[in-house]
C-alpha cells in the first residue's frame, strides 16, 4: 500500500490464501461462500487501510516502523511525500519486509529517475508491473534491481 501525505491511496495490492478444500458444495452454496469470503476480504482491507492511516497520522510520536494489527504486522516506511506499508503474517521477519519496501523504492527511483507521487499516479501500471516482477503470489521472487528493471523494459518493448 502506498499513501501520500494527504492519506490518499496511490497503490494498493493484496494477496490472500485460497482454500481449495471446499469445492464439494452445490453450485449456489459455492457462490454464496465465495461472496462471503470476498466481503470479508474487503472489510479486512478497509480496516487495514484505516489502521495504516492511524499509524501514518501518529508516526511522528512513534519510533518504530512496526505495528501489530490482529494476527498480522504492519511494516511501514516514509520516503519523501509517500508512505509505504506492507501487512505480513505475525511470523514473518519484519526486517525482510522493511528491506523489500526499500528495494521497491530503489527500483522505482532507478526506473523513473527520482520517483515522486506523480510518477506513481500517472504511471501506476508500470509501478504495479515493477511490484509484480518482485512479488508473485505474496512471496518475494526477485531481489535484483537490474533484473526487475530489465524485465519491465522488455515488457514495454512488447507494447
Amino acid at each position: 500500500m502506498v499513501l501520500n501525505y494527504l492519506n490518499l491511496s496511490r497503490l494498493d495490492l493484496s494477496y490472500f490464501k485460497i482454500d481449495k478444500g471446499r469445492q464439494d458444495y452445490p453450485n449456489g452454496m459455492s457462490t454464496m461462500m465465495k461472496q462471503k469470503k470476498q466481503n470479508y476480504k474487503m472489510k479486512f482491507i478497509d480496516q487495514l487501510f484505516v489502521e495504516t492511516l492511524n499509524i501514518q497520522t501518529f508516526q511522528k510520536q512513534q519510533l518504530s516502523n512496526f505495528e501489530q494489527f490482529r494476527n498480522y504486522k504492519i511494516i511501514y516506511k516514509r520516503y519523501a511525500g509517500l508512505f509505504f506499508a506492507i501487512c505480513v503474517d505475525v511470523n514473518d521477519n519484519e526486517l525482510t519486509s522493511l528491506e523489500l519496501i526499500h528495494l521497491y523504492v530503489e527500483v522505482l527511483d532507478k526506473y523513473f529517475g527520482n520517483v515522486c507521487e506523480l510518477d506513481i499516479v500517472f504511471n501506476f501500471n508500470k509501478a504495479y508491473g515493477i511490484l509484480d516482477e518482485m512479488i508473485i503470489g505474496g512471496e518475494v521472487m526477485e531481489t535484483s534491481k537490474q533484473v526487475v528493471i530489465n524485465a519491465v523494459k522488455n515488457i514495454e518493448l512488447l507494447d
Side-chain angles (χ1 to χ4, degrees):
M1 181 178 296
V2 179
L3 305 169
N4 69 358
Y5 66 95
L6 296 173
N7 295 335
L8 297 174
S9 177
R10 294 303 181 202
L11 200 63
D12 188 1
L13 187 61
S14 59
Y15 299 96
F16 287 94
K17 188 175 182 181
I18 298 172
D19 276 341
K20 294 184 179 179
R22 298 294 249 174
Q23 297 178 359
D24 56 343
Y25 290 119
N27 235 359
M29 183 64 137
S30 175
T31 305
M32 188 172 74
M33 293 298 284
K34 287 179 186 177
Q35 186 63 34
K36 283 184 178 180
K37 283 184 180 181
Q38 185 66 26
N39 290 341
Y40 173 77
K41 289 176 190 176
M42 293 310 294
K43 287 179 185 176
F44 178 81
I45 291 172
D46 289 343
Q47 290 172 350
L48 177 64
F49 185 73
V50 169
E51 181 69 21
T52 306
L53 291 179
N54 290 338
I55 292 170
Q56 181 184 6
T57 304
F58 299 109
Q59 184 189 13
K60 293 177 182 173
Q61 300 170 357
Q62 299 174 354
L63 300 176
S64 174
N65 286 353
F66 316 111
E67 287 293 325
Q68 190 76 22
F69 175 72
R70 296 185 185 175
N71 294 332
Y72 301 96
K73 293 178 196 168
I74 300 174
I75 293 94
Y76 57 92
K77 182 80 173 159
R78 179 181 281 288
Y79 287 96
L82 294 173
F83 182 81
F84 294 81
I86 297 178
C87 181
V88 296
D89 189 49
V90 73
N91 297 324
D92 287 347
N93 189 343
E94 300 97 350
L95 297 177
T96 304
S97 301
L98 197 59
E99 183 64 28
L100 177 64
I101 292 173
H102 184 71
L103 176 67
Y104 183 59
V105 171
E106 282 184 340
V107 171
L108 288 174
D109 269 343
K110 194 169 183 181
Y111 184 79
F112 290 114
N114 199 12
V115 69
C116 66
E117 182 180 354
L118 292 177
D119 291 327
I120 293 176
V121 169
F122 292 119
N123 299 303
F124 66 91
N125 55 343
K126 292 177 184 169
Y128 275 119
I130 290 170
L131 197 57
D132 286 340
E133 287 296 325
M134 294 172 60
I135 301 173
I136 298 175
E139 298 292 327
V140 178
M141 291 294 151
E142 187 58 60
T143 58
S144 170
K145 289 181 262 187
Q146 196 58 47
V147 170
V148 171
I149 289 174
N150 287 342
V152 173
K153 287 184 178 179
N154 287 339
I155 291 171
E156 281 183 1
L157 292 177
L158 296 175
D159 291 340

